[in-house]
Every structure is written in structure tokens, then in C-alpha cells.
Amino acid sequence: MLEERESKEPAMNPFQKNESKETLFSPVSTEEMLPRPPSPPKKSPPKIFGSSYPVSIAFIVVNEFCERFSYYGMKAVLTLYFLYFLHWNEDTSTSVYHAFSSLCYFTPILGAAIADSWLGKFKILSLVGLSLIALGTGGIKPCVAAFGGDQFEEEHAEARTRYFSVFYLAINAGSLISTFITPMLRGDVKCFGQDCYALAFGVPGLLMVLALVVFAMGSKMYRKPPPEGNIVAQVIKCIWFALCNRFRNRSGDLPKRQHWLDWAAEKYPKHLIADVKALTRVLFLYIPLPMFWALLDQQGSRWTLQANKMNGDLGFFVLQPDQMQVLNPFLVLIFIPLFDLVIYRLISKCRINFSSLRKMAVGMILACLAFAVAALVETKINGMIHPQPASQEIFLQVLNLADGDVKVTVLGSRNNSLLVESVSSFQNTTHYSKLHLEAKSQDLHFHLKYNSLSVHNDHSVEEKNCYQLLIHQDGESISSMLVKDTGIKPANGMAAIRFINTLHKDLNISLDTDAPLSVGKDYGVSAYRTVLRGKYPAVHCETEDKVFSLDLGQLDFGTTYLFVITNITSQGLQAWKAEDIPVNKLSIAWQLPQYVLVTAAEVMFSVTGLEFSYSQAPSSMKSVLQAAWLLTVAVGNIIVLVVAQFSGLAQWAEFVLFSCLLLVVCLIFSVMAYYYVPLKSEDTREATDKQIPAVQGNMINLETKNTRL
């Protein structure tokens, strides 16, 4: 082995420049070694308050907190930003969200390759990782944790272990706080009359700038190991050469080799081939994993859109739909110690072999159950949607704007009195009466009884529509007008409103930054306008000679409102509010069970999967496994993108589809895990011990039992 190394490399001893190669590489005993010049003592980096932590660690941890705050804070409001600010539909918003997530998990492979083979961890963090968010997260993910570990000396290995706990605490703290705060900045603060997305994105942006400043401040304190080569590229080249070589030598005359990777032996060393063999055994188990991530990552897209159709008023606090995502990091912090210290230990005491692969399979099943629960919640939401009339039917609602009670009857063989009791003046009712038609369109004859007067009005209607019969004062008598209603609950958790102007002058109403809503005089009816949920205490209104404001009060999720603008002498200008379609009463708390299930699934699957992967591969393949693990997340997001764009299913059916797909994948994974023979820790150590010694700089790190060079 020494002779092979001699033929490939020149003499590298910095203290014996004139020695021959034979002398240089001859094994010598420790007693015969020539004395070396004394090395200058290395200056220990400054520590935090006398501990074993270098001061540079503080800059790295604060940087990670700010970067994760920025990433998760921006991602929390991203789906609703696409939906309401860019006015994309739900499928497009979901697709772009998961395309972004997929890019964020593809770029770590590029970031790791650049850091290992070109720039090093420090430069990729400061130049690339903190400049662009999408590409930056790829630069940061594979580098920052390892860069923090590089700051510790070998004698402080225990402190380095504690550092990783602090590091992941910073990640979860950044995620938890930002996921809670940024939706509040979006929904509770108004910018230009609408949700303040500028502030919701601006605060994470400022945290990103702060991360850059903090990281740069510690530049002179960092230990910056040089790049050591890209093991990911070596693995890919080794596999590619083995496949190509096997294809070129596919003749049956050649002797068979024990493993297909053995066809790389002509170019690559045996220790690398052995490590790649161990790696491919684990990568084979990775094939079904993307489907799990396809379900898990929908918390920020489909589940947020589902929460957007529910009532976030919990009584003591109004929860924004994108704030529900805060449950995931919060429950992760609870479940990890709960599972490790309680649940797994109880299972072990029951003498059940709950292996890592079995934990991952159970995690998949829990994710299936989470999406089954999400489908049930979605059907419950759909059940609260206003019913639609069938063929040769219409729905009719009566609104009495007159001064007294009115009795309404539809003349005809199939329809009688619409209401048993008279309709009171300005009575707020959401009752719709079903009327049967003789044909697809028909003229209906209404008999209105008001005090001692009887009034007859005719109105034309068409099947499958909803109408409102507006009864209003007409001098000493009354009259009626028929207005077509949407009959559809507003989508995406919005509120829909329209106005009836009883004034004798045209009216312009300014609700937001869009064009004012115009309402004609003398019982003119406006078009519908969808607005965000919230309080509207002072809506600007104008007539040709007067400016005033109206208090519309609280507008809730999924509700359709009718406002009648009146001018009562004793009370002045007012807006009488009626609910055409009642408020969405399904609480957002119904999502809690699915979040509990999916977070438990994440703890059992993700944490266990990383632990299993690291235990099954040689140390030289750890970075490759990390890249492959992140790649499965990226592929999972692509699956969601494809389904959202091309499935065309109702939302509850899409949830069921994902649940069934993961169940099938779980069965396949269970079969693969059954035939998998796990490596013991001593097997991986033995493989590592057989590796060719690594060359770093000018020195060979070679050690035998009796001799040392």
C-alpha cells in the first residue's frame, strides 16, 4: 500500500526535503523517528463565559434562528399570498407553493457540492446562502450545522454534541415564532385597505439581513476548514462507471462478478466500492419515501386552504388560517421527548421488537389516518355549503323593507303560502323556500297582504337559481322586486356583500383599493363584492352632495351579506345587515386531530429514518445520505404539484387519494423492510477501518500497530 502511494504522489515531508522516496516511506519505529521542530502552540479560540463553547458558536446559532425565522415565516403566508394578492386559484397556488418547496430541497445537493469542492462551508454561507432565499436555503441546509461543528476542538467533543441540540432548538424556535407571528402581521395589520403582505414578507426579510450581519460579524473568529472534495460526485461517477462498464462487457464469455458495482474495480478503489454498496442498500429503501413527504408538506398548502374555509374564532383568540401550521413545530417539541422517554420505553418493556423500519412504517400509517381525518373534515365543510336547487326548482327568500308585517303567497296549483307567519319589517332571516316550476322558466304570481291592502306582482324566474323577493314601501302601499342571488357560499373563507340603496340619489361605496361599488338610487341593487374577513367600522360612502361612513361590523368567513342603506329621520343614515347565507360555524379546532396524527407520523418517520440511515452506512457516506434524504422531500413536493394540476378531483377526494396511495406505498415499504438485513455498528466500523488512509495537505495520516509515519 505504501508503494502504491509512493508511485502516485511526490515526496511530501516538509522537514526532510532532500530525502529519497525510499527513505521517506520506509516504516520506522517510534524510537527511531528523528526529532521534529517544535510546533508553535495553537491559540485556543475565545470561549463563552469560560465554557467549552467558542464565541463563534453564538454567531452561528443566532444566524440560524434568523434564517429559519425568515424561511418559515415567509412560507407560512405564501399560499394565501398567491390566492388573495396574486388572485391565483387554489390549484395554481398549491402547485407553485410545492414547486418552491421542491426547489428548496433540490438546491442543497448543489450547495453541498459547491461547498465541498470549491468554496468551503464559510463562503457558501456568506456569499450564496444568505443572498437568495430559494437558492440560499440550498446553500445553508447542508453547510451551517457542519460548519458549527467545525468550530470545536477534538477535546471538546461532548460540548459539540450539546451544540447540535442547541442548534436544532434554534431551528424549531425560529419556525415556531415566525409561523405564529407572520400570519398576525398579515391579517391583523391593514396596508392600503387589505391584508399587509408587505409587512408579513418584510419582517422575515429584515431577519434575513440581520442573519447576514450577525454571521459576518463573527467572520474573524471562525475556524474555516478547507474544501475536502465532493463525495457525492465520487459516488455518482463510481455508479455510472460500473453501469457503463457492465454494459460494454455484457458478453457471456466474461466471468460474472459478485455485485454489479464490482464492475467499477478497474477505476475506483475497493474501499469506495464497498462503501457505495452499503449506500445503495439504504438508497433502495428510499424509493417509496417521497410519498410520505407528499402528504406531510401539504400542511402549508391544502391544509391551510382548508383552514381558510373554517371559522378561526376560538372565543378567547381569533386564529388566522395560516397560523394553524404553528401546531407542527409546537407538537414536535413535545412529541420527541414523549416518544423517546415514554412510548418507546413502554413498548420495549413489553418485549416488542419495535425496530427503526417498523417505526417508519407506523409513521406512514399515521399519516394515512391524518389525511383520512382531513377528508372527513372537508366533507363536513362541504355539508355546510348552501344547498342548490334541482331541475325545475328555485329557492326564494323574502326580505321585508316595508314599515309593517307582510303576508306572502304564491298563486298556483303547486305553491301556497311561502311562510306560515307574516314577515316582520326588517326581519333578519336566512330561510329559503323551495318553489316548484312547471317548466325551466316561468312567471310567478305573488299576492302580498299588507295591513288591509292586497297587492299582486308578477316576476319571471328560471330553474336552478336562488332569488330574493324584496318588499319595500311604495307611498301608502307596497311593491316588490325580484333579485337573483348567488346561492353559493363564498370560496376560500371570504365574505361576500352587496348593497340595496333606498336613498333617492346614486351612491358610491369604497370597500378597498379596488374601484368603488356603485349602487343606483331608489332601491338599486349592487353587484356582489368579495372581501376579506374582518371588522369594517367605517366604510367610505359618497353621494353627489354628501360624504359619510357606514359601520358594517364584523364580516365572517364564508358568509353572504345584504346591506340595506336607509335614512331614518330619528337615526340618520344606517346600513341594515341581513345574512343571505349564514356564517361558517365549523371551528378551525376540527383540524387539531389531523395535526396531532401527522406530527406523530413525522416524529416516527423522519427522526427515526435519519437515525436508521446514519447507522447503516459508512461514515464517508453520511453526506451522500443527507443529500438523498433531502432529494426524497423534493420529489414528494413534485408529486403534490402534479396531482394538484392534473387530478381534477374534489378536495375531499384528493385527500382520500393521497391517503390510499401512501397506504399502498407503506405495504411495499414493509415488504422491502422485511427482507432487509440491517448492518450492525461493528460492520460499518470494520468497513471504515479498511479504508485507504486519507491524504490531507502535505501529511499522510497513516498509523499501523508498531510503526507510525
Side-chain angles (χ1 to χ4, degrees), residues 4 79 119 136 205 244 375 399 405 410 455 474 476 513 537 577 674:
E4 290 179 6
T79 300
L119 293 179
C244 294
L399 295 178
D405 296 349
V410 179
V455 179
D474 186 11
E476 296 296 328
T513 56
K577 180 166 64 174
Y674 179 80

Side-chain angles (χ1 to χ4, degrees), residues 155-175:
E155 59 266 24
H156 298 142
E158 184 178 348
R160 178 166 53 199
T161 302
R162 292 196 300 269
Y163 151 74
F164 283 107
S165 298
V166 176
F167 178 80
Y168 284 106
L169 179 63
I171 291 177
N172 283 279
S175 171

Side-chain angles (χ1 to χ4, degrees), residues 487-687:
I488 301 175
K489 186 181 285 289
N492 307 323
M494 302 283 281
I497 60 176
R498 65 174 173 174
F499 297 87
I500 296 178
N501 179 18
T502 66
L503 307 179
H504 300 299
K505 296 179 181 179
D506 295 339
L507 181 65
N508 290 325
I509 303 173
S510 300
L511 291 168
D512 46 36
T513 56
D514 294 337
L517 194 62
S518 298
V519 193
K521 62 183 179 180
D522 297 328
Y523 295 95
V525 181
S526 73
Y528 274 101
R529 177 71 60 86
T530 56
V531 295
L532 296 172
R533 176 195 184 276
K535 292 183 178 180
Y536 292 80
V539 175
H540 182 78
C541 302
E542 290 184 13
T543 62
E544 60 184 16
D545 58 357
K546 191 172 184 179
V547 176
F548 58 95
S549 61
L550 293 174
D551 182 7
L552 303 186
Q554 175 74 30
L555 304 182
D556 283 312
F557 297 111
T559 311
T560 302
Y561 295 97
L562 172 68
F563 289 94
V564 181
I565 301 174
T566 61
N567 187 6
I568 302 175
T569 305
S570 60
Q571 300 177 359
L573 289 166
Q574 286 187 337
W576 175 70
K577 180 166 64 174
E579 292 184 1
D580 296 347
I581 298 177
V583 64
N584 194 346
K585 296 181 180 179
L586 187 64
S587 173
I588 201 171
W590 280 89
Q591 279 196 321
L592 182 60
Q594 64 199 60
Y595 270 97
V596 171
L597 286 170
V598 83
T599 306
E602 180 182 3
V603 170
M604 297 192 71
F605 181 91
S606 181
V607 177
T608 307
L610 282 173
E611 175 192 358
F612 169 79
S613 302
Y614 272 60
S615 69
Q616 295 300 297
S619 58
S620 63
M621 295 291 116
K622 306 297 185 187
S623 62
V624 184
L625 275 177
Q626 180 68 16
W629 184 268
L630 296 175
L631 191 63
T632 62
V633 182
V635 175
N637 280 275
I638 292 177
I639 293 174
V640 183
L641 188 156
V642 172
V643 172
Q645 281 295 312
F646 302 108
S647 69
L649 297 173
Q651 190 55 69
W652 69 268
E654 186 177 293
F655 286 152
V656 172
L657 173 64
F658 276 110
S659 181
C660 294
L661 287 176
L662 183 58
L663 183 60
V664 173
V665 167
C666 179
L667 295 175
I668 297 173
F669 177 79
S670 300
V671 174
M672 296 167 63
Y674 179 80
Y675 289 101
Y676 180 84
V677 180
L679 292 176
K680 298 180 180 179
S681 58
E682 55 266 23
D683 297 334
T684 57
R685 285 199 299 268
E686 181 181 352

Side-chain angles (χ1 to χ4, degrees), residues 155-279:
E155 59 266 24
H156 298 142
E158 184 178 348
R160 178 166 53 199
T161 302
R162 292 196 300 269
Y163 151 74
F164 283 107
S165 298
V166 176
F167 178 80
Y168 284 106
L169 179 63
I171 291 177
N172 283 279
S175 171
L176 186 68
I177 297 173
S178 65
T179 308
F180 184 78
I181 289 179
T182 51
M184 294 177 63
L185 298 177
R186 174 197 62 79
D188 295 345
V189 180
K190 296 296 180 183
C191 296
F192 310 107
Q194 57 184 344
D195 279 3
C196 196
Y197 288 100
L199 189 61
F201 287 123
V203 170
L206 290 176
L207 266 291
M208 202 67 190
V209 174
L210 180 61
L212 175 60
V213 172
V214 170
F215 188 77
M217 287 172 59
S219 174
K220 295 182 179 180
M221 302 181 188
Y222 297 139
R223 297 177 63 194
K224 305 168 187 176
E228 298 179 356
N230 185 5
I231 187 64
V232 177
Q234 294 181 34
V235 170
I236 294 174
K237 290 178 180 178
C238 179
I239 294 175
W240 179 253
F241 181 82
L243 293 173
C244 294
N245 195 28
R246 178 66 184 91
F247 180 77
R248 286 193 299 266
N249 299 281
R250 58 186 180 275
S251 173
D253 299 334
L254 295 175
K256 293 184 178 180
R257 301 189 182 183
Q258 186 176 6
H259 195 278
W260 63 272
L261 277 168
D262 291 333
W263 289 93
E266 285 81 356
K267 185 175 181 181
Y268 294 93
K270 292 183 179 179
H271 78 275
L272 177 62
I273 296 176
D275 287 353
V276 176
K277 287 180 182 178
L279 175 70

Side-chain angles (χ1 to χ4, degrees), residues 101-116:
S101 299
S102 180
L103 178 63
C104 289
Y105 284 96
F106 268 123
T107 50
I109 302 175
L110 177 62
I114 295 175
D116 289 343

